[in-house]
Amino acid sequence: MSEKGWSQLWLDYESKISKNDGETADKVSVAVKGFDADNRVIKSAERELKKALADLDITVVLEKDSDISKEGYTVKGCAELSQNDEYKETVGNSEVAVIVKASDENGALYGAFQLIRSKLTKEDVATINVSKAPSNPLRMMNHWDNMDGSIERGYSGRSFFYENDNIVINKRTVDYARFMASVGINGIVINNVNVKWAASDLITIRFFDKVKELSDIFEDYGIKLYLSLNFASPIELGGLEVCDPLDSGVIKWWENKIKEVYDHLPNLGGFLVKADSEGRPGPFTYGRTQADGANMLGDIIANYGGIIIWRCFVYNCTQDWRDTKTDRARAGYDYFKDLDGQYHDNVILQIKNGPMDFQIREPISPLLGGLTRTNQMLEVQIAQEYTGHQIDLCYLIPMFKEVLGFKTYCQTENDTVADVVSGRTMGNKLAGMAAVINTGNDYNWTGNDLAAANLYGFGRLAFDTDLSSEEIAREWVRLTFDLDKELEDKLVDMLLCSREIYEKYSSPLGIGWMVTPGDHYGPSVDGYEYSRWGTYHRADHLGLGVDRTDKGTGYAQQYYKPNADMYNDPKTCPENLLLFFHHIPYTWKLKSGKTLIQYIYDVHFEGYEEARELANSWKAFEGKVPQRTFNCVSHRFELQVNNAHEWCDQVNSYFYRKSGIEDELKRPIF
Ligand code: GCV
């Protein structure tokens, strides 16, 4: 680890350069064929290669090859290339040559990082032979950073983009861009979707210069900068009385504003919009649809090649808890399905993975694939809002794999979520994946060093949805630490089982919530039960769960058959979602033969025990990972064990008190 104010994460070249022969620098050479050698992205690729491969006697050729698909690459190592006439002159006397071919600069950069990964994980670069094309056209990070330096749902310190209502740009910004490019990210939204106060001015002269500077740094690494937009800007910035998307004065205002924005930020990717959601302004105020709002902005920004990413997180957040007919889970589909086909070509809907809000277990949003004539992208959250605040270990890639692998039945083939969001289902170009990011200005970027596996993993998965959770975990472990095989396996196992452990000690069988309101860490079983947020477990003395069947809220019917039927029947509903879809008596027998109440007791004790085992396993890493990392993670495991203890005892005691049914094993329940 370097002694700067931030770590180098998985790109810690320095510590990996072989110091054996005392000579570390300048052995590597990079040649450029077909690309403009002065291109900023090619220059970045060259810089990274020179740093990372400094101790290898190698020539890397970055070569343009128009036959390769957009942003894809082939990387081929070949010791004998110096014999090959085509490359003989270029390669000279280098011991090894590696040819990176791509049709565009981003592909060349990703190919360079592929080679660097191989080198850092101690593979033989002379025999590398990899071809990849990105699974998703858009691979984005969404920051929920505010301009005062706070981060909404941030668990890793403060923002490294903002301080005191200003934009901060320094070497850390460059490292951040490098990290993102190294895992294939090509778009970053730099501000919170809740656009308030100074952030509304990001589209004004007050911040253009700084945003441009940031955008230039991103550009060096093939990343487009995007801004979250305040839909009420015509009122807040323009002094208009309304922000009605069909009002001619409002349209004119946006035409001028977007022109001004692109005059200053010609490479802006576009805007992300949270409208009509949790108090944010939107078209509903004027009796307009979400499509009216998105298309108005889309049509204007199309003139500059920009796109509008419109979030589908729209629901009634002022629900009366007594009202059992209204179901927040239904909202996304109810608001957006009827408008399918009406969104213009440069508009894309961004859909959270589940219908509620990033719980540890939710069904897949029925909007994904429910829409068949609309550009759509998947939104996941690696900021661990409901999944342990980057205190508790929770490797989320297995969850994302489940989401991507879900068969929607929107057509007979190419119908998984991965197909839909990659553009394969509908043959559309605007498609992809976005993650609410988990970074901050902590030394290790992610609060818990191990949470960087989610940061790395999301990028890698968005680039290549065929990678397994284990492959990604192993790759990250190898790049980040220098462990023997036994400890490497141990850490990979710890990551792989962590999500399930968190699920076991927190809220059971897909019911979700039961968290401390507002903060969302730790248990509060009734915390949201009598609130306005539409997040209820409906427990009484006989059972719990929400009836979302055709006899209940009807949510299950938003899926295509056979998913709709499967969820509708408690006997065929996957048990890990049983309480999401059904109100079930405590005495209900699960497939294992256990009653529901006994399962709740058992799984909570088990989860708590497994959290203790995780903490215990970590002890073996002392002296094997940097001390700073060891201490940080040890402390977090201590907190996790306390958290798991509270969850276990509070959930078990709550349901014991509600049901009056004893634990068969007579363990302490209060
Ligand atoms: C950015 C949840 C979070 C909010 C977040 C919102 C959203 O409700 O708790 O902090 O706001 O999701 O996704 O817009």
Side-chain angles (χ1 to χ4, degrees):
M1 238 178 240
S2 63
E3 277 314 306
K4 288 187 277 181
W6 59 94
S7 82
Q8 290 295 297
L9 290 171
W10 52 86
L11 294 186
D12 193 0
Y13 304 147
E14 248 171 61
S15 73
K16 301 256 173 59
I17 295 273
S18 148
K19 305 235 163 63
N20 293 344
D21 57 4
E23 260 181 64
T24 57
D26 297 338
K27 286 189 178 175
V28 58
S29 65
V30 177
V32 178
K33 280 183 87 178
F35 287 114
D36 171 5
D38 288 329
N39 176 277
R40 55 205 302 170
V41 179
I42 295 294
K43 282 256 168 247
S44 295
E46 190 177 338
R47 230 177 7 254
E48 293 297 320
L49 288 165
K50 286 197 161 159
K51 265 195 279 176
L53 277 49
D55 56 339
L56 300 185
D57 186 356
I58 183 177
T59 296
V60 183
V61 184
L62 298 175
E63 182 174 348
K64 192 172 172 94
D65 179 344
S66 312
D67 290 339
I68 294 176
S69 54
K70 194 165 183 276
E71 293 187 303
Y73 56 80
T74 67
V75 183
K76 210 162 175 183
C78 186
E80 313 88 66
L81 272 174
S82 54
Q83 313 305 320
N84 176 330
D85 278 350
E86 194 190 343
Y87 295 102
K88 206 167 181 170
E89 215 174 301
T90 326
V91 167
N93 293 327
S94 295
E95 273 172 21
V96 178
V98 177
I99 315 298
V100 176
K101 291 189 181 179
S103 63
D104 52 26
E105 290 77 9
N106 275 19
L109 180 62
Y110 301 147
F113 277 120
Q114 171 78 50
L115 173 58
I116 291 170
R117 271 198 301 278
S118 302
K119 195 263 178 171
L120 297 182
T121 53
K122 303 194 175 80
E123 283 168 25
D124 179 5
V125 294
T127 57
I128 187 172
N129 189 357
V130 187
S131 298
K132 287 282 174 199
S135 309
N136 295 293
L138 292 174
R139 305 173 301 278
M140 300 188 64
M141 290 294 187
N142 290 183
H143 281 263
W144 285 358
D145 295 31
N146 300 314
M147 294 202 68
D148 62 1
S150 63
I151 301 178
E152 183 154 351
R153 311 306 176 188
Y155 312 106
S156 317
R158 295 185 55 87
S159 172
F160 49 77
F161 280 141
Y162 311 107
E163 222 172 64
N164 300 325
D165 287 347
N166 226 322
I167 297 178
V168 177
I169 298 174
N170 53 32
K171 288 198 177 122
R172 186 170 190 148
T173 324
V174 178
D175 276 345
Y176 167 74
R178 296 172 53 229
F179 299 146
M180 293 302 98
S182 75
V183 292
I185 295 297
N186 64 0
I188 293 175
V189 185
I190 60 164
N191 62 309
N192 189 354
V193 284
N194 291 323
V195 188
K196 296 179 196 164
W197 308 300
S200 300
D201 288 351
L202 282 167
I203 52 167
T204 70
I205 194 77
R206 180 176 172 198
F207 291 122
F208 282 146
D209 286 352
K210 284 279 172 124
V211 177
K212 172 75 167 62
E213 219 182 302
L214 210 48
S215 159
D216 282 347
I217 291 174
F218 287 2
E219 282 274 304
D220 283 345
Y221 292 91
I223 298 167
K224 280 212 173 281
L225 183 146
Y226 293 75
L227 292 170
S228 291
L229 198 66
N230 183 347
F231 194 77
S233 297
I235 302 173
E236 291 185 26
L237 300 178
L240 303 192
E241 300 217 320
V242 295
C243 58
D244 178 351
L246 301 191
D247 178 279
S248 58
V250 169
I251 297 170
K252 189 85 215 136
W253 187 87
W254 277 118
E255 281 169 354
N256 291 334
K257 176 49 75 182
I258 291 177
K259 176 177 184 311
E260 185 194 356
V261 169
Y262 273 88
D263 281 348
H264 290 89
L265 307 172
N267 295 318
L268 185 77
F271 297 121
L272 171 65
V273 189
K274 171 177 178 175
D276 290 311
S277 171
E278 301 184 329
R280 301 312 300 145
F284 282 167
T285 312
Y286 307 97
R288 312 301 185 194
T289 67
Q290 298 296 298
D292 290 333
N295 289 339
M296 179 272 292
L297 291 169
D299 290 351
I300 300 172
I301 208 170
N303 298 318
Y304 308 93
I307 64 169
I308 295 298
I309 305 172
W310 192 267
R311 293 178 88 225
C312 294
F313 187 57
V314 179
Y315 69 98
N316 172 9
C317 65
T318 55
Q319 191 179 330
D320 182 343
W321 57 269
R322 298 163 192 86
D323 165 11
T324 54
K325 294 276 171 297
T326 305
D327 180 3
R328 170 167 164 180
R330 291 190 57 114
Y333 192 94
D334 284 346
Y335 284 126
F336 287 89
K337 172 67 181 169
D338 286 350
L339 302 168
D340 194 11
Q342 293 184 27
Y343 296 89
H344 296 174
D345 284 351
N346 66 331
V347 171
I348 179 165
L349 299 189
Q350 186 167 298
I351 304 168
K352 288 193 182 188
N353 61 277
M356 297 295 277
D357 193 10
F358 300 137
Q359 301 301 292
I360 189 68
R361 174 80 60 184
E362 285 186 48
I364 312 312
S365 168
L367 259 187
L368 290 160
L371 302 170
T372 55
R373 289 169 293 140
T374 301
N375 296 321
Q376 51 205 289
M377 69 191 287
L378 173 66
E379 178 180 321
V380 297
Q381 191 188 41
I382 54 175
Q384 288 175 237
E385 176 178 0
Y386 295 97
T387 54
H389 282 204
Q390 286 142 243
I391 295 170
D392 300 27
L393 184 64
C394 194
Y395 176 58
L396 290 160
I397 307 305
M399 181 202 285
F400 306 158
K401 288 289 293 182
E402 277 172 23
V403 173
L404 290 167
F406 181 73
K407 215 171 148 44
T408 66
Y409 294 100
C410 64
Q411 54 187 38
T412 49
E413 53 184 16
N414 289 336
D415 64 333
T416 65
V417 170
D419 292 324
V420 172
V421 302
S422 64
R424 284 191 293 274
T425 304
M426 298 183 290
N428 54 324
K429 293 222 162 32
L430 210 50
M433 287 172 68
V436 178
I437 200 166
N438 59 356
T439 51
N441 71 355
D442 277 0
Y443 178 86
N444 63 11
W445 300 83
T446 52
N448 186 334
D449 292 61
L450 302 187
N454 287 328
L455 183 62
Y456 180 84
F458 170 77
R460 294 288 290 127
L461 183 66
F463 194 89
D464 184 356
T465 50
D466 289 338
L467 287 171
S468 73
S469 301
E470 180 176 344
E471 280 170 313
I472 294 173
R474 194 168 293 282
E475 203 176 271
W476 175 77
V477 169
R478 282 192 184 159
L479 285 171
T480 308
F481 302 112
D482 193 7
L483 300 171
D484 60 33
K485 182 75 172 70
E486 200 184 322
L487 281 185
E488 177 187 308
D489 287 346
K490 195 192 251 291
L491 190 49
V492 169
D493 284 349
M494 287 168 70
L495 289 168
L496 288 175
C497 63
S498 58
R499 182 242 183 157
E500 213 172 300
I501 295 175
Y502 187 88
E503 180 180 22
K504 283 181 177 179
Y505 61 71
S506 57
S507 56
L509 299 179
I511 191 73
W513 307 96
M514 299 189 179
V515 285
T516 309
D519 171 68
H520 300 166
Y521 186 75
S524 175
V525 179
D526 276 343
Y528 276 113
E529 193 56 14
Y530 306 102
S531 75
R532 64 183 172 95
W533 296 97
T535 48
Y536 314 113
H537 55 66
R538 307 280 186 210
D540 57 23
H541 65 298
L542 297 173
L544 85 149
V546 182
D547 184 355
R548 293 190 161 106
T549 67
D550 50 357
K551 300 194 181 54
T553 71
Y555 166 78
Q557 269 49 60
Q558 292 185 336
Y559 292 88
Y560 296 99
K561 279 175 185 290
N563 288 337
D565 294 341
M566 173 182 73
Y567 289 135
N568 205 54
D569 181 345
K571 296 207 183 62
T572 54
C573 180
E575 277 187 345
N576 55 17
L577 289 169
L578 190 61
L579 301 177
F580 190 94
F581 284 97
H582 301 276
H583 189 86
I584 299 287
Y586 297 120
T587 51
W588 171 275
K589 285 267 172 62
L590 296 171
K591 291 190 185 99
S592 63
K594 267 185 202 175
T595 59
L596 173 65
I597 190 72
Q598 191 56 41
Y599 171 82
I600 292 177
Y601 297 149
D602 288 352
V603 82
H604 282 81
F605 283 119
E606 223 172 278
Y608 172 35
E609 179 53 33
E610 289 172 7
R612 290 195 332 208
E613 282 165 21
L614 274 183
N616 218 20
S617 298
W618 181 246
K619 292 192 179 131
F621 290 83
E622 179 147 33
K624 309 290 183 191
V625 295
Q627 195 61 34
R628 187 199 284 260
T629 299
F630 180 76
N631 294 344
C632 163
V633 176
S634 301
H635 177 57
R636 285 176 190 247
F637 272 133
E638 261 174 51
L639 299 175
Q640 175 169 4
V641 167
N642 288 338
N643 188 36
H645 193 183
E646 281 309 314
W647 270 103
C648 170
D649 283 355
Q650 290 196 30
V651 171
N652 282 348
S653 299
Y654 180 95
F655 287 105
Y656 170 62
R657 293 176 190 183
K658 276 259 151 146
S659 68
I661 301 174
E662 299 276 347
D663 169 31
E664 285 167 6
L665 300 179
K666 305 271 185 288
R667 289 161 292 193
I669 293 182
F670 304 88

